[in-house]
Amino acid sequence: MTLDEAAIRDRARALLAEHDPARTDRVTFLRARFDAGLAWVHYPEGLGGLGAPRELQQVVERELEGTPQLDVGKMGIGLGMAAPTILTFGTEEQKRRYLRPLWTGEEIWCQLFSEPGAGSDLATLATRAVRDGDEWVVDGQKVWTSGAHLSRWAILVARTDPDVPKHRGLTYFVCDMHAPGVDVRPLRQITGEAEFNEVFLTGVRLPDTLRLGEVGEGWRVAQHTLMNERVAIGGAPGRRGGGLMGIVARTWRERPEIRTHDLHGRLLHLWVEAEVTRLAGARLREQLAAGAPGPEGSGMKLAFARLNQALSGIDVEMRGEEGLGYDDWTFRRSDTVDFVGRGPGYRYLRAKGNSIEGGTSEILRTIIAERVLGLPAEPRVDKDVPWKDLPR
Amino acid sequence: MTLLYSEVEEELRAAVRGLLADRHPPATVIARVEAASPYDADLWKTLARDIGVAGLLVPEELDGAGATAREAAVVLEELGRAVTPVPFLTSSVLATQALVAAATDAAAPLLTALATGQTTAALAVSFATSPYVFPATGAPGTAAGGAVTAGTAGGAASAGTAGEAVTVGADGTLSGRVRAVAGADVADVLIVPASGALYAVDAADAAVNPLVSLDMTRPVADVTFTAAPARRVAEDLEPLRTALRYGAGLLASEQLGVAEWCLTTTVAYVKERRQFARPVGSFQALKHRLADLWMEIVQARAAARNAADALATGTDTDTAVAIAQAWCGTVAVHAAEECVQLHGGIGMTWEHPAHLYLKRAKADEIALGTPAAHRTSLATPAGLPSPPA
């Protein structure tokens, strides 16, 4: 049975009638919402959804306005990357075990993909997982792990077969971040704070039930995760003149003394670019809702990074003297990812990461060129060579 | 609102594309631009009458199709993709919209004639005229003596002087000259702004002097009126402003089509062309440029669709049109320039059609307001007030 708007609305109202958000604690309400299938309506029944068209989620959001909401700054990796991967590749037990606390925020997720020696060339990663009976023993080092210090679980890609070419010897796991041998150390960034971590894995034992997908299928599973990440980073809905553009425009309006013709021209350029990017994102979401996903996802992240960097740069520049200051260099661990918070200097520096995290802009351009435009790949020296024989 | 294409729109696209593929290969266009007139009258007849594009924007009660800007936009994408020399934009969009907006008894029979494709019209204003040279209130700027008719407010005025050069004589005839009019050389009827109103003049009663034009597939002409008999079709210039805005919004879709052809053709070429023992399209320097261009076109499609939808529904029209024009004009030029560059020496030859697209894209950048004129108009909706003068 496909559900229509009215049926969804009825369900949302029934949820509110049974669990008055004013008198229900946050987690209880979110659990009830998940169990009512109103977490993500396009997910299957029993897993927080109703198997309904994705666009009906808007109906739920409208009906449940003002009720406890998700902390998406903390839960970005879980919602945007782990959940779609578990849904696609997980066993029934895995789906039932992980998706509910992931969605309610009771369990935070992080991502153990990049390594000091494997960034853009992720498939060359060296963290080893060796089978030992019903368990895997994991050794290696991961890096750029947002929120590892808050996380209960991680999605992990490790090498299970060094004797085959790099893409074929990988396996995808759920990593227990509380397991012995998991050591999380903060990694200080150019902003002064530590949003990321280094994660050292030493003799970490993971039961085989934590494997996602088949042994050796890790690259295919990871591709799925990364595509979802890029849509999640670049495809956030917005309103006209919102986000960083809104912050810059407000400064411009509040301070007539900073206005020059040169800045005005550049701001109008950026306003138009922000708006066409927003429209492209809206069109992409329409395509997704209509069940015809376009290849625009990687492009949205590319456009978002360029725009954010340009806007955050002009934001510092146009403040003149004030731009010479910085709000706070104190070393601290942040527990949320925030592109529009704090001062202009912080935003400028944080935006530099937008063209690196989740696939550098250079890698994204190559993906677009090869997978969307069908241009031939660069000659590859590493393609058919067993991973262990690659030059390093 | 939707930024996607409907099934009906896709069918219309397929019909136009099929016809153009059949009857209008690039070699034909190159041969045509060297003839006296590039326009393909037979092709236009088929497009206008058989597929019915001439009457798309004419109301049903006047024998048109009563379609919206969304369908016209799809036709323009295809005409842009093939740089087809037919007067769809100039007659079926610009002149037709001016008459539709006028909504007068005098305009009605003309619209019916336009709908069938038997008559072709053109707006007798410079093709460089932006919608912003007219005051939005509908009150035309008038100078002492009533000689100058169109307001020239806004910085864009210098890039396109409106119909100020034509005046109405005591006997009701029109005199004056308008420069750089697009589509005048194939028009049967000219829609002329003069003394604060709009008039229809038979082209036979005007001197139309085609200019050697940058855009060989849509040349412009100087039009001179000497006591030309005229019929008044609108009492003020508001319909003209509406038509210019409508045309500017839909021009974005033509620019999208131009850009798409340039990208597709370039991608195909760099896959084939080998240097250093490999396809040049396997070099990262080229791949990244084409990926950036692809993204610009993704944004252009969203902006052009948004403008067409806004024109169809009448909501957020000014802003949506200005955004689309501010973006798509630049993207089409960029696409055409990349097309020439990435074709190497071949791209510089007369024989290869890339130059037709470059010339169209560059002329389109000026047409109906430059990207700068459209951006400037966005200062208020963007909440970015201008600095003191």
Side-chain angles (χ1 to χ4, degrees):
Chain A
M1 179 191 81
T2 38
L3 286 151
D4 60 5
E5 203 173 319
I8 300 263
R9 200 178 297 122
D10 289 347
R11 276 178 169 264
R13 288 179 184 168
L15 171 73
L16 290 173
E18 270 176 59
H19 303 272
D20 178 0
R23 272 181 267 158
T24 315
D25 80 88
R26 192 188 136 73
V27 169
T28 310
F29 182 82
L30 290 175
R31 282 179 183 165
R33 178 173 164 183
F34 186 94
D35 296 339
L38 300 171
W40 30 37
V41 294
H42 60 289
Y43 271 46
E45 277 186 65
L47 296 174
L50 297 166
R54 193 189 279 254
E55 70 262 24
L56 291 179
Q57 187 67 30
Q58 297 164 18
V59 179
V60 178
E61 300 305 331
R62 260 201 313 274
E63 290 295 320
L64 298 185
E65 223 178 286
T67 64
Q69 296 293 313
L70 305 181
D71 182 355
V72 289
K74 251 185 223 173
M75 298 165 58
I77 305 273
L79 293 170
M81 302 176 72
T85 310
I86 293 167
L87 182 69
T88 307
F89 295 98
T91 62
E92 279 312 306
E93 290 84 39
Q94 287 170 332
K95 291 181 207 173
R96 293 197 184 281
R97 166 62 189 86
Y98 298 120
L99 289 174
R100 189 174 185 250
L102 180 158
W103 189 84
T104 60
E106 290 167 84
E107 291 180 347
I108 301 297
W109 287 68
C110 64
Q111 178 199 18
L112 298 175
F113 279 24
S114 295
E115 297 179 5
S120 290
D121 185 10
L122 180 66
T124 201
L125 61 85
T127 293
R128 289 279 280 121
V130 178
R131 189 141 200 172
D132 180 21
D134 283 344
E135 288 185 323
W136 295 84
V137 182
V138 182
D139 285 278
Q141 182 190 347
K142 295 287 180 177
V143 74
W144 318 129
T145 314
S146 313
H149 55 296
L150 305 166
S151 293
R152 177 68 188 85
W153 303 105
I155 41 179
L156 164 74
V157 186
R159 184 157 308 279
T160 46
D161 186 353
D163 298 322
V164 293
K166 61 181 185 179
H167 291 95
R168 284 188 250 150
L170 301 171
T171 302
Y172 201 107
F173 297 93
V174 171
C175 180
D176 180 352
M177 293 298 285
H178 291 175
V182 176
D183 179 18
V184 176
R185 301 180 200 167
L187 186 62
R188 197 174 187 191
Q189 292 149 239
I190 61 174
T191 55
E193 65 174 19
E195 180 190 302
F196 301 147
N197 299 275
E198 297 178 287
V199 179
F200 294 83
L201 305 163
T202 314
V204 177
R205 300 191 80 87
L206 302 177
D208 190 52
T209 51
L210 289 181
R211 178 165 49 79
L212 267 182
E214 297 304 311
V215 175
E217 281 283 279
W219 183 250
R220 197 166 70 86
V221 184
Q223 286 302 305
H224 186 83
T225 307
L226 292 172
M227 283 302 160
N228 276 291
E229 177 184 34
R230 285 163 198 152
V231 173
I233 292 181
R239 56 180 182 83
R240 176 181 286 170
L244 213 40
M245 186 69 237
I247 293 174
V248 174
R250 194 164 60 236
T251 309
W252 176 263
R253 280 196 296 277
E254 285 168 0
R255 304 190 193 182
E257 72 280 5
I258 67 172
R259 293 180 199 162
T260 65
H261 288 284
D262 173 69
L263 273 175
H264 192 234
R266 287 156 62 199
L267 284 175
L268 285 173
H269 265 280
L270 288 171
W271 191 86
V272 169
E273 190 176 336
E275 185 59 10
V276 298
T277 306
R278 185 186 70 82
L279 289 168
R283 188 162 193 276
L284 172 65
R285 275 191 303 284
E286 272 197 77
Q287 285 177 310
L288 287 171
E296 277 88 346
S298 295
M300 288 311 299
K301 203 230 154 207
L302 188 65
F304 169 84
R306 181 166 50 207
L307 187 62
N308 245 13
Q309 292 177 347
L311 280 168
S312 61
I314 210 169
D315 189 18
V316 173
E317 178 194 341
M318 74 184 197
R319 288 165 191 264
E321 233 171 69
E322 187 200 326
L324 296 174
Y326 191 77
D327 60 354
D328 188 4
W329 292 118
T330 309
F331 176 43
R332 64 177 155 203
R333 297 185 95 147
S334 62
D335 53 9
T336 180
V337 177
D338 185 3
F339 297 156
V340 294
R342 286 185 53 178
Y346 169 84
R347 293 194 292 266
Y348 170 68
L349 295 171
R350 181 60 187 83
K352 293 293 154 237
N354 294 163
S355 54
I356 302 169
E357 57 207 348
T360 64
S361 290
E362 288 70 26
I363 287 292
L364 294 181
R365 286 188 184 96
T366 299
I367 289 175
I368 292 167
E370 293 181 5
R371 305 218 193 125
V372 180
L373 300 178
L375 291 171
E378 296 264 341
R380 295 282 289 268
V381 294
D382 58 354
K383 213 173 160 196
D384 300 314
V385 183
W387 175 81
K388 64 176 168 44
D389 299 330
L390 289 177
R392 352 193 117 70
Chain B
M1 177 189 120
T2 174
L3 299 173
L4 304 180
Y5 299 99
S6 72
E7 233 167 90
V8 173
E9 287 159 16
E10 289 293 6
E11 279 166 23
L12 179 60
R13 177 201 303 287
V16 175
R17 188 182 287 193
L19 176 71
L20 295 181
D22 224 28
R23 299 257 300 265
H24 186 69
T28 321
V29 189
I30 293 176
R32 287 211 160 270
V33 297
E34 296 192 272
S37 164
Y39 291 101
D40 187 335
D42 286 342
L43 179 67
W44 176 235
K45 254 182 225 160
T46 311
L47 265 173
R49 296 180 196 173
D50 299 352
I51 297 183
V53 303
L56 270 183
L57 296 175
V58 176
E60 281 173 285
E61 60 270 24
L62 297 175
D63 300 338
T68 72
R70 292 182 56 98
E71 292 82 32
V74 171
V75 173
L76 276 165
E77 279 183 34
E78 293 310 310
L79 297 178
R81 199 188 306 276
V83 283
T84 319
V86 292
F88 179 72
L89 179 70
T90 50
S91 178
S92 312
V93 175
L94 282 166
T96 297
Q97 264 307 298
L99 294 169
V100 168
T104 54
D105 289 345
L110 247 177
L111 280 168
T112 300
L114 286 171
T116 61
Q118 276 164 337
T119 298
T120 302
L123 266 188
V125 295
S126 159
F127 199 36
T129 311
S130 87
Y132 314 112
V133 300
F134 296 98
T137 57
T142 48
V148 178
T149 58
T152 52
S158 59
T161 47
E164 69 212 63
V166 182
T167 55
V168 184
D171 59 352
T173 62
L174 302 193
S175 295
R177 185 158 79 137
V178 189
R179 293 179 188 277
V181 178
D185 47 342
V186 274
D188 307 306
V189 178
L190 298 163
I191 310 299
V192 193
S195 303
L198 275 186
Y199 295 81
V201 174
D202 288 339
D205 293 327
V208 176
N209 177 31
L211 304 176
V212 178
S213 303
L214 175 65
D215 181 0
M216 298 186 300
T217 53
R218 184 156 59 211
V220 290
D222 284 349
V223 180
T224 308
F225 302 95
T226 312
R231 323 182 277 289
R232 190 187 285 222
V233 290
E235 300 306 314
D236 59 39
L237 293 182
E238 185 59 19
L240 177 58
R241 192 187 80 87
T242 304
L244 289 170
R245 183 184 63 177
Y246 204 96
L250 286 186
L251 180 63
S253 288
E254 179 182 297
Q255 288 161 330
L256 171 64
V258 167
E260 284 188 322
W261 183 89
C262 291
L263 176 65
T264 308
T265 305
T266 307
V267 165
Y269 180 73
V270 300
K271 282 183 195 172
E272 294 294 316
R273 171 73 175 168
R274 298 177 76 89
Q275 291 286 273
F276 305 99
R278 52 193 268 212
V280 295
S282 67
F283 287 100
Q284 196 173 63
L286 269 58
K287 285 157 99 167
H288 285 195
R289 278 168 74 161
L290 288 167
D292 282 334
L293 182 59
W294 173 82
M295 188 60 213
E296 284 176 32
I297 293 173
V298 166
Q299 291 160 315
R301 188 177 302 110
R305 281 276 87 192
N306 186 54
D309 195 74
L311 287 165
T313 59
T315 46
D316 195 38
T317 315
D318 284 323
T319 307
V321 166
I323 289 166
Q325 267 304 296
W327 187 259
C328 298
T330 311
V331 171
V333 171
H334 184 211
E337 289 177 349
E338 290 291 67
C339 182
V340 170
Q341 172 66 21
L342 299 185
H343 275 80
I346 301 291
M348 276 302 287
T349 62
W350 188 264
E351 187 186 347
H352 193 280
H355 65 104
L356 299 175
Y357 291 82
L358 179 65
K359 291 161 186 174
R360 169 66 67 86
K362 200 62 189 165
D364 274 2
E365 190 185 33
I366 297 166
L368 304 170
T370 60
H374 290 285
R375 263 196 308 277
T376 304
S377 81
L378 288 167
T380 304
L384 295 167
S386 297

